[in-house]
C-alpha cells in the first residue's frame, strides 16, 4: 500500500463561496467552507416540498440561502461548489465559469481536507452494496473506518466530525467525478459500466471516460481494481505505475480475485464459500470479489473474510429480504432504477417471480433487450407508474400482467396473484420521480404498507 501525501486544505478564509443546489451535500459543503473561514451561500433554482428538510437544516445551522431561482447574489462569489445533481453545462454554472469564477464539487472540496486514506468505488450498479461491505470487512478486521460519499453521508460530514479514521470508504458517482481534479484514492474500483445517465453524459464513451476519472490522480503504489467481466471497465488504463487487480465472477484469474463456482478466491487462496455470502445473486459475488481485492490491496488480513461475509446483512433497497408470509417471500429492490439493475435482480433468483416494476424510465434506456429474460424469469408482471403502459405493451405478450397506479395497489395485486412458494420482487427498473421523492421513499412505502395491510408475522433477516 502506498503512503499518502495529504493534500493542502483549500485556502478559503474570508472568501465568498456559493453552493449550487440544495440538498444533503450542499448543507454539508456549506458547513465545511464556513469551518474553513469562508462565507457560504446556497442557491437553489427550484422550490418544491421535497426541499423542506434541507431548508430546515439551513435554518438550524444559520446558512444563508436563496430558493426558487439564482439571483445575482449567487455570482458574488470567489468559488462555486456544485451539488452532485448540478451538471457542468447548467446555465448558472456556465455563467459563473464565463465570469472567471472557479467551479468545483463537494467531493473534490472535502477530499482536499481529508487526512485519511481514501478507498473509492464507482460503477453503474453495485456501488452502495460494495462500499458498505468493504466498510464492514474493514471494521470486522479491526480498522477504524468511515463510510461516505454518494450515500447518506457526504464526505464533508466526515471532515466536520473532526476524527481521522484509518480509512474512509467512499462511494463515488459519475456526477461527482465530473468535478474531481485532485481526488486521490489509494485504492479505487470501477465495478461496471452499463447504459445510464446518458442524457447527462451524452454517450457510453463519455460516461465510461467519466467513470475512469476515479484513477486520474493515482500514482505508483496505488491500486486500481477492475471488473474483468465488463468490457468497458476491463479496457480502462490507470496511470503508469498503478497496480491493476482484476476480479471475475465467471473465470479464473491467476493474479486476481475470482469465483470457481463454489469458493471466492484471491489468486489461488480460497477466502470464503459462496454460501457464506448471504445476499443473493452472482452480481453480489462479483461485488464481494471486488471487496476482497480492495481490502487486500490496502493491507487487510483476510483470514476473517468468510466470517465478515456471514455477518453482512445486505443493504436496504438492494434486493433486500423483507418478509416471508403464507409461504410467499417478498424482496425490496427499490434501488433498481435502470434496465441493467432490473436484469441483475431477475438473474439473482432461480425460480420465476411476481415482478412489480415501473416508474419514470430513463431516456435511451434499453428495456427491449430484457424481453427474453422477463419471459423466462417472470410469472406475472404488475406494472406501475409512468412507464406502466410501456411495460405492459412491451412484455404483455410474454407474461400475464396487470397495470396499476403505484406501490400500494401493486401490493394487493401481488398478494392475490402469488401462490405459496412464490417470490414477489419489487424491482422497478426505473427512477422514482414520477410519484415519489426518491427510491428510498418508494422502497419504505412497499415495506410499511405491505406489513400493515397483509398483517404478516414476518421473521426478519437477522444477518
Amino acid at each position: 500500500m502506498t503512503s499518502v501525501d495529504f493534500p493542502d486544505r483549500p485556502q478559503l478564509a474570508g472568501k465568498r463561496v456559493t453552493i449550487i443546489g440544495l440538498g444533503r451535500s450542499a448543507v454539508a459543503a456549506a458547513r465545511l467552507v464556513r469551518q474553513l473561514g469562508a462565507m457560504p451561500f446556497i442557491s437553489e433554482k427550484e422550490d418544491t416540498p421535497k426541499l423542506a428538510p434541507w431548508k430546515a437544516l439551513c435554518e438550524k445551522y444559520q446558512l444563508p440561502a436563496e430558493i426558487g431561482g439564482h439571483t445575482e447574489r449567487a455570482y458574488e462569489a470567489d468559488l462555486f461548489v456544485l451539488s452532485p445533481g448540478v451538471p457542468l453545462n447548467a446555465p448558472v454554472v456556465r455563467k459563473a465559469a464565463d465570469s472567471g469564477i472557479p467551479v468545483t464539487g463537494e467531493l473534490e472540496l472535502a477530499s482536499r481536507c481529508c487526512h485519511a486514506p481514501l478507498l473509492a468505488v464507482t460503477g453503474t450498479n453495485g456501488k452502495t452494496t460494495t462500499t458498505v461491505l468493504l466498510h464492514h470487512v474493514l471494521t470486522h478486521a479491526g480498522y477504524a473506518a468511515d463510510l461516505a460519499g454518494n450515500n447518506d453521508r457526504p464526505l464533508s460530514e466526515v471532515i466536520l466530525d473532526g476524527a481521522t479514521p484509518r480509512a474512509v470508504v467512499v462511494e463515488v458517482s459519475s456526477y461527482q467525478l465530473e468535478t474531481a481534479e485532485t481526488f486521490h484514492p489509494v485504492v479505487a474500483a470501477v465495478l461496471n459500466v452499463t447504459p445510464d445517465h446518458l442524457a447527462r453524459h451524452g454517450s457510453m464513451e463519455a460516461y465510461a471516460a467519466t467513470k475512469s476519472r476515479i484513477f486520474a490522480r493515482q500514482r505508483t503504489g496505488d491500486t486500481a481494481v477492475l471488473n474483468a467481466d465488463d468490457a468497458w471497465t476491463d479496457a480502462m488504463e490507470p496511470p503508469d505505475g498503478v497496480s491493476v487487480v482484476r476480479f471475475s465472477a465467471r473465470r479464473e484469474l491467476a493474479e486476481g480475485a475470482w469465483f470457481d463456482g463454489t469458493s471466492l478466491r484471491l489468486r489461488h487462496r480460497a477466502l470464503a464459500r459462496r454460501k457464506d455470502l448471504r445476499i443473493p445473486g452472482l452480481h453480489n459475488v462479483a461485488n464481494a470479489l471486488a471487496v476482497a481485492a480492495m481490502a487486500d490491496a490496502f493491507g487487510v488480513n483476510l483470514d476473517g473474510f468468510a466470517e465478515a461475509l456471514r455477518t453482512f446483512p445486505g443493504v436496504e433497497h438492494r434486493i433486500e429480504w423483507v418478509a416471508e408470509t403464507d409461504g410467499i417471500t417478498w424482496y425490496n429492490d427499490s434501488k433498481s432504477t435502470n434496465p441493467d439493475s432490473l436484469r441483475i435482480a431477475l438473474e439473482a433468483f432461480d425460480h420465476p417471480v411476481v415482478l412489480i416494476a415501473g416508474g419514470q424510465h430513463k431516456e435511451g434506456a434499453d428495456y427491449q433487450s430484457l424481453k427474453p429474460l422477463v419471459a423466462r424469469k417472470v410469472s406475472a408482471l404488475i406494472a406501475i407508474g409512468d412507464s406502466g403502459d410501456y411495460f405492459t405493451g412491451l412484455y404483455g405478450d410474454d407474461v400475464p400482467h396487470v397495470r396499476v397506479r403505484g406501490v400500494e395497489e401493486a401490493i394487493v395485486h401481488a398478494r392475490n396473484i402469488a401462490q405459496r412458494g412464490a417470490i414477489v420482487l419489487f424491482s422497478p427498473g426505473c427512477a422514482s420521480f414520477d410519484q415519489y421523492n426518491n427510491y428510498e421513499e418508494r422502497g419504505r412505502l412497499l415495506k410499511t404498507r405491505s406489513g400493515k395491510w397483509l398483517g404478516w408475522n414476518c421473521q426478519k433477516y437477522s444477518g
Side-chain angles (χ1 to χ4, degrees):
M1 182 187 70
T2 187
S3 61
V4 182
D5 287 338
F6 298 117
D8 294 331
R9 290 170 75 90
Q11 301 303 308
L12 295 179
K15 303 293 186 180
R16 300 165 299 174
V17 179
T18 295
I19 297 95
I20 301 297
L22 176 57
R24 182 180 287 110
S25 293
V27 171
R31 294 176 60 208
L32 177 59
V33 299
R34 187 166 61 188
Q35 186 182 84
L36 294 170
M39 296 170 284
F41 179 71
I42 299 173
S43 182
E44 166 60 55
K45 72 173 183 177
E46 303 291 343
D47 188 4
T48 64
K50 69 180 181 181
L51 295 175
W54 316 122
K55 288 181 182 180
L57 285 179
C58 286
E59 293 180 6
K60 174 181 177 181
Y61 294 114
Q62 298 182 326
L63 300 172
E66 62 180 7
I67 310 297
H70 304 300
T71 67
E72 287 303 310
R73 170 67 180 83
Y75 302 99
E76 297 171 4
D78 300 297
L79 176 68
F80 259 36
V81 177
L82 307 186
S83 296
V86 180
L88 287 170
N89 63 357
V92 64
V93 181
R94 290 203 307 266
K95 182 175 178 179
D98 291 344
S99 301
I101 301 172
V103 176
T104 190
E106 181 272 331
L107 179 74
E108 170 68 15
L109 173 74
S111 70
R112 292 185 60 189
C113 302
C114 186
H115 283 189
L118 301 175
L119 283 67
V121 177
T122 193
T124 306
N125 297 303
K127 295 185 295 296
T128 300
T129 297
T130 301
T131 51
V132 175
L133 177 56
L134 177 57
H135 178 262
H136 179 74
V137 168
L138 289 173
T139 55
H140 187 273
Y143 285 67
D146 222 323
L147 181 64
N150 185 48
N151 46 39
D152 289 339
R153 193 171 192 224
L155 184 57
S156 292
E157 289 189 4
V158 175
I159 311 305
L160 288 164
D161 282 351
T164 302
R166 194 167 175 185
V168 181
V169 179
V170 189
E171 177 182 339
V172 186
S173 72
S174 60
Y175 293 178
Q176 291 170 313
L177 286 168
E178 288 178 332
T179 52
E181 298 296 337
T182 66
F183 178 67
H184 174 203
V186 296
V187 183
V190 181
L191 302 177
N192 46 65
V193 179
T194 61
D196 200 11
H197 305 305
L198 298 187
R200 176 149 168 172
H201 295 295
S203 67
M204 280 295 293
E205 289 76 12
Y207 180 39
T210 302
K211 287 292 191 187
S212 69
R213 286 173 63 89
I214 199 169
F215 305 125
R217 289 290 177 173
Q218 287 194 302
R219 63 186 187 194
T220 300
D222 295 337
T223 301
V225 175
L226 297 171
N227 185 355
D229 299 332
D230 182 284
W232 289 101
T233 60
D234 194 43
M236 290 179 178
E237 297 181 355
D240 291 343
V242 173
S243 299
V244 176
V245 179
R246 287 177 166 81
F247 65 93
S248 172
R250 302 183 184 279
R251 59 187 173 92
E252 180 176 350
L253 298 175
E255 297 300 323
W258 57 287
F259 180 53
D260 67 7
T262 302
S263 298
L264 286 72
R265 294 179 173 271
L266 183 64
R267 294 176 283 278
H268 294 291
R269 176 189 176 190
L271 298 177
R273 298 165 298 176
R274 170 63 185 91
K275 65 181 181 180
D276 292 323
L277 183 64
R278 301 178 64 176
I279 49 180
L282 188 63
H283 68 292
N284 278 321
V285 172
N287 292 338
L289 292 168
V291 167
M294 294 185 73
D296 179 69
F298 192 60
V300 177
N301 185 324
L302 295 179
D303 287 349
F305 187 70
E307 177 61 23
L309 294 189
R310 286 193 291 270
T311 56
F312 181 64
V315 181
E316 188 179 20
H317 309 302
R318 280 84 171 168
I319 318 184
E320 175 194 11
W321 189 96
V322 176
E324 181 177 339
T325 179
D326 297 330
I328 301 167
T329 307
W330 296 69
Y331 284 88
N332 165 37
D333 189 38
S334 186
K335 182 59 173 66
S336 166
T337 59
N338 57 56
D340 197 57
S341 55
L342 174 56
R343 174 189 61 78
I344 288 169
L346 290 174
E347 289 178 343
F349 297 97
D350 295 329
H351 303 291
V353 302
V354 175
L355 174 65
I356 303 172
Q360 183 185 75
H361 65 274
K362 297 182 177 180
E363 180 181 341
D366 178 18
Y367 296 95
Q368 180 73 31
S369 63
L370 294 179
K371 277 179 67 66
L373 183 65
V374 169
R376 188 171 73 253
K377 290 282 192 174
V378 176
S379 60
L381 169 66
I382 303 171
I384 66 172
D386 286 355
S387 64
D389 291 338
Y390 173 72
F391 275 18
T392 56
L394 181 61
Y395 305 128
D397 290 341
D398 301 316
V399 296
H401 60 276
V402 62
R403 168 74 161 96
V404 302
R405 184 178 181 278
V407 168
E408 293 160 307
E409 290 181 61
I411 294 167
V412 176
H413 281 274
R415 182 60 187 88
N416 290 336
I417 292 170
Q419 303 295 315
R420 179 172 290 275
I423 291 170
V424 176
L425 171 64
F426 177 48
S427 186
C430 297
S432 59
F433 305 121
D434 56 334
Q435 298 183 76
Y436 311 101
N437 287 325
N438 48 54
Y439 72 82
E440 293 98 336
E441 177 185 325
R442 180 173 65 180
R444 287 168 188 154
L445 182 65
L446 174 92
K447 294 194 291 183
T448 57
R449 290 289 192 270
S450 56
K452 178 180 179 181
W453 292 349
L454 301 180
W456 54 38
N457 180 17
C458 55
Q459 178 185 355
K460 291 297 182 185
Y461 180 54
S462 63

